[in-house]
Structure formats: C-alpha cells, structure tokens
Amino acid sequence: QVQLVESGGGLVQPGESLRLSCAASGSIFHINAMGWYRQAPGKERELVAVIRSGITNYADSVKGRFTISRDNAKNTLYLQMNSLKPEDTAVYYCNADIRGSSYYSHDYWGQGTQVTVSS
C-alpha cells in the first residue's frame, strides 16, 4: 500500500553538501515517524536521524552537520547533509512508521541511495 522512493544520492568531495529526498505514496492515514539510516560496507545499519511529532534526533557522528525535515503536504522526508566526510560514505535508507486504514502502524523502507564522499 505504501512506497518510499529516495533520490539525491551521488558522489561529492569532502566538505561539500547533498540533500536526500524520500517521497512516501500510497494509502497513508498518518505518518508517525520518519527517519534516515545508513549502512557502510561491512558494517551494520545505523540510525542517522529521525523526526517524530516535530522532534528531531541525530546520531552523534552527524549532529551539527545533518538536518532532517519533513514536508507534510507532500509526505516527503529530507536529509540535508553538509560538511560531508569520507566516513559518511554509505547506502542511505529512508524509513517510515505509517498507519494506513487500520489502527496498526507498519514499518516501511526505501530502496536505498548511494552516497560517496571522496577526493
């Protein structure tokens, strides 16, 4: 019923910026929370940032550099990434906790978008 489509990944040099987008579509009654995760080669997937009821939380490694936001009218999630470092290189995944027609919410994932920070 719900699909998450990500965009905005790419190759950038250290210190540059990227803005990731995640558009949610389908049967959506309410989005409880949305977040960004990332997974580098050989490492576990980790939480980067999450937004719930307007409150944001960030991993210590990105705090002060990344900003998560939502456009509620478009059901779109953003991640503004500034001052990118090589260690930010990973596949970034959009995640959403969404309630549809029932009282129960369900966890959805995007397909992932590659972010590579290299000189």
Side-chain angles (χ1 to χ4, degrees):
Q1 291 183 332
V2 176
Q3 299 82 40
L4 303 179
V5 180
E6 298 158 309
S7 61
L11 173 64
V12 297
Q13 295 182 343
E16 295 183 343
S17 299
L18 280 175
R19 192 191 194 200
L20 305 183
S21 299
C22 173
S25 62
S27 181
I28 300 173
F29 177 76
H30 181 71
I31 300 178
N32 296 313
M34 299 188 78
W36 290 97
Y37 292 73
R38 68 185 182 186
Q39 188 167 23
K43 296 184 178 180
E44 295 184 349
R45 187 174 299 185
E46 64 173 342
L47 177 66
V48 176
V50 63
I51 182 168
R52 181 188 292 270
S53 299
I55 301 174
T56 59
N57 288 281
Y58 300 89
D60 289 340
S61 59
V62 307
K63 191 174 181 64
R65 299 187 298 120
F66 291 9
T67 302
I68 188 171
S69 62
R70 274 182 61 182
D71 184 335
N72 293 326
K74 296 182 177 181
N75 286 329
T76 300
L77 179 72
Y78 302 98
L79 183 66
Q80 179 66 46
M81 304 185 294
N82 298 328
S83 302
L84 283 163
K85 304 175 181 179
E87 50 263 43
D88 294 318
T89 296
V91 177
Y92 284 71
Y93 296 91
C94 176
N95 173 260
D97 181 29
I98 298 175
R99 177 185 172 184
S101 59
S102 73
Y103 289 102
Y104 299 98
S105 63
H106 185 75
D107 202 45
Y108 295 90
W109 290 91
Q111 80 288 350
T113 183
Q114 177 71 48
V115 172
T116 302
V117 185
S118 177
S119 299

